[in-house]
Amino acid sequence: MKKLRTINAFLALVLSVSLVAGCTPKAPPPAQPPAQTEARKPAESPAPPPLKNVEVVSKNGMVAAAHPLAAEAGVEVLKKGGNAIDAAVATALAVSVVEPNASGLGGGGFMLIRFAKTGETVVIDYREVAPQKATPDMYKVVDGKVVDDADHIGYKAVAVPGYVAGLSLALKKYGTMKLADVMQPAIKYAEEGITVTATLSGIIKDNFDKISKFPATAKIYLKDGLPYEAGDKLVNKDYAKTLRLIAAKGPDVFYKGEIADAIAKDMAANGGLITKADLAAYQPSIRKPVSGTYRGYEIISSPPPSSGGTHVIEILNMLENYDVKKLGHNTPDALQLWTEVIRRVFADRGKYMGDPAVVKVPLDGLLSKEYAKERAKDIDLNKAGTEVTAGDPSAYEGAHTTHLSVIDKEGNMVALTQTIECFFGSGVVVPGLGFLLNDEMDDFDVEPGRANSPGPGKKPLSSMSPTLVLKDGKPFLSVGSPGGPRIITAVAQVLSNIIDHGMSIQEAIEAARIHADNQSVYVEGRIPEQVRQALEAKGQKVTVKKEYDLYFGGAQGVLFDTAKGEFHGGADPRRDGKAVGY
């Protein structure tokens, strides 16, 4: 039996295709320009395939998350009288157990909340921060690459986690339930074990080398030294013990108590930079979200140090200069437009975005509709342009990650995106604690002197884009995605699918996606060959991914139909997503 398992695992490793997580490419993906043309009548939009997931409809509330057990945990909290914040925290903790490759106690994130009674919106920023020993030249770089992948794998890749502090703050300030109560589903799943899905098994196989480097990690995520297969039971009693400790003693035990001691000791023994003083100093922030409009809908999203919300809005502002509906969905002209818009946005992101506590971000300019109009005016729908630099938003100044969405029956809305960066983070599990530590130092630019270069106490740039949409001032949509830089383009495409093309939430999430950088246009295999050929005829280099590819994220969303008083939940089949309502 063991021999057969060995053969199966070997074949799976040989045949596996990379399942890309939330890792950010080191070179910021700039852009290629173009020249303005009239919008022409497009070719027929390709017919979409049947939906893989069923859209869920309910009357009292909805949770959409990257795993069914996590969504169920959130809905149980709603049924017990908890609000959307209570449910979001319970779901976030549960998803850290059932989707351990993507988030957990060793990571961080952003939670966007809108309160039904007041209409107020806030963002809880619990992004990780660089240790005090971090410096702009802390990594040795040869030929543009970090030696030994030190910013990505191992102890020097780890930034100070904000996860426990951020979720605890959200619950204490805006929730109605106790931390110990909302932690119970996560504790149960860790203690009793979860059934490994095909998705998780594939990700473990894809990260086998990383996991194998660290004995405490291999102990949890390998079975007899080999990757878990779909259907196996994965139990993490160390994680359950750690969760119980936090439930009993609160967040201080993580930042100032026994857990902090264990992290600091393991860091010191293995060349890591995080000290107990770094952990004790960590504080989450409450920030004002960024906002904009798109064709009459109000878009609310995450502010810096996440670049996500700003550039989702910048994409939409550029698209607003075109009749996107008339161009059709995923037609050659439509994808040409998206490609050129994306390249401009990422050129701006690479130059201007960083931790606002350290660098001045021209936020008003980047969010300006006039700036977007200027950036979009030379887009040519007939041909790819040549490489361009970032624009100048200062002239307009005036004023892999996981996602879950919750809307409760009162109309409170939460969009929460959290991560440990790449799948399985740094690969490090502190012995006895059971959770993975992030590799968020990978999100810094390793070249000194840049807006996003590392520094003591500095937050690395993020692409997380938890987003809320209002229609006529009322709750309409909560959505977001994992996927590193592809988060921004995934969220923007889902929003356009709904607003421009009239899709349901499930259709909008499942629709084939693209992403672009200065090298290529990356398209899912469901984009028809004739469309891809038409793009190539315009001068674009097209790279084809799988039909449903983790590269493009895993969006989860909840839409509220005001006219019918119904919640509609959509979940991404690119991961093990599930929407649950009641």
Side-chain angles (χ1 to χ4, degrees), residues 201-222:
S201 175
I203 294 170
I204 292 173
K205 290 169 184 173
D206 198 58
N207 289 271
F208 179 78
D209 288 345
K210 183 196 290 190
I211 293 168
S212 300
K213 289 178 186 292
F214 304 97
T217 309
K219 176 185 171 184
I220 299 169
Y221 295 109
L222 300 181

Side-chain angles (χ1 to χ4, degrees), residues 175-397:
T176 66
M177 300 177 72
K178 294 180 180 179
L179 183 61
D181 294 332
V182 298
M183 292 184 77
Q184 291 311 306
I187 293 170
K188 177 184 176 183
Y189 298 154
E191 179 71 38
E192 298 180 1
I194 61 168
T195 301
V196 174
T197 64
T199 301
L200 179 55
S201 175
I203 294 170
I204 292 173
K205 290 169 184 173
D206 198 58
N207 289 271
F208 179 78
D209 288 345
K210 183 196 290 190
I211 293 168
S212 300
K213 289 178 186 292
F214 304 97
T217 309
K219 176 185 171 184
I220 299 169
Y221 295 109
L222 300 181
K223 183 178 180 181
D224 300 325
L226 297 170
Y228 279 85
E229 297 292 346
D232 285 344
K233 180 79 76 173
L234 194 162
V235 177
N236 192 344
K237 290 188 181 294
D238 284 344
Y239 199 17
K241 181 179 69 175
T242 299
L243 290 169
R244 283 199 192 92
L245 197 57
I246 296 169
K249 297 187 177 182
D252 276 356
V253 74
F254 188 95
Y255 293 96
K256 299 175 182 178
E258 300 100 298
I259 298 173
D261 289 334
I263 294 172
K265 180 180 177 181
D266 198 43
M267 283 280 158
N270 291 280
L273 303 184
I274 295 174
T275 65
K276 192 171 180 182
D278 286 320
L279 290 160
Y282 185 88
Q283 292 292 330
S285 303
I286 297 178
R287 300 185 184 275
K288 179 182 178 182
V290 295
S291 62
T293 62
Y294 185 61
R295 307 195 196 280
Y297 291 79
E298 184 178 355
I299 314 296
I300 305 165
S301 196
S302 55
S306 174
S307 66
T310 303
H311 294 307
V312 167
I313 292 170
E314 187 182 6
I315 286 174
L316 296 175
N317 282 345
M318 285 195 218
L319 292 178
E320 209 167 34
N321 292 284
Y322 293 82
D323 190 338
V324 174
K325 182 177 181 179
K326 184 177 180 181
L327 287 176
H329 182 258
N330 283 353
T331 61
D333 283 355
L335 295 187
Q336 171 76 0
L337 174 62
W338 274 95
T339 299
E340 299 298 347
V341 166
I342 290 167
R343 286 175 171 156
R344 284 158 174 70
V345 164
F346 275 91
D348 286 351
R349 179 185 184 272
K351 181 172 182 177
Y352 297 112
M353 278 292 179
D355 185 347
V358 180
V359 299
K360 178 173 172 53
V361 178
L363 197 58
D364 289 345
L366 292 169
L367 294 168
S368 163
K369 287 188 181 294
E370 288 303 311
Y371 175 65
K373 186 175 182 179
E374 177 68 23
R375 289 292 273 155
K377 73 178 184 180
D378 62 348
I379 289 177
D380 188 340
L381 296 183
N382 293 307
K383 66 178 181 178
T386 56
E387 188 171 325
V388 295
T389 59
D392 182 13
S394 63
Y396 299 85
E397 283 284 274

Side-chain angles (χ1 to χ4, degrees), residues 21 45 49 156 164 186 261 267 281 320 382 418 423 453 460 470 490 532 547 553 567:
S45 297
K156 286 188 177 178
V164 175
D261 289 334
M267 283 280 158
E320 209 167 34
N382 293 307
Q418 60 188 29
F423 281 156
S453 299
L470 306 181
R532 304 197 300 258
E547 289 196 350
F567 298 89

Side-chain angles (χ1 to χ4, degrees), residues 60-63 73-75 77-79 81-92 111-116 167 170-171 174-177 182 404-416 468 478 558 567 582:
N60 294 299
M62 184 77 69
V63 179
V75 166
V77 166
L78 293 178
K79 288 180 178 178
N83 65 14
I85 296 86
D86 299 317
V89 174
T91 305
M111 180 189 291
L112 171 58
I113 308 169
R114 182 179 187 270
F115 305 101
L167 294 185
L171 195 69
Y174 304 119
T176 66
M177 300 177 72
V182 298
L404 62 95
S405 293
V406 185
I407 305 179
D408 66 24
K409 63 182 179 181
E410 305 300 327
N412 297 302
M413 308 173 72
V414 174
L416 184 157
L468 301 177
S478 170
V558 178
F567 298 89
Y582 84 105

Side-chain angles (χ1 to χ4, degrees), residues 531-547:
V531 174
R532 304 197 300 258
Q533 290 174 345
L535 271 179
E536 289 172 340
K538 295 173 186 287
Q540 304 289 2
K541 178 184 176 183
V542 178
T543 300
V544 183
K545 298 285 188 178
K546 292 183 298 183
E547 289 196 350

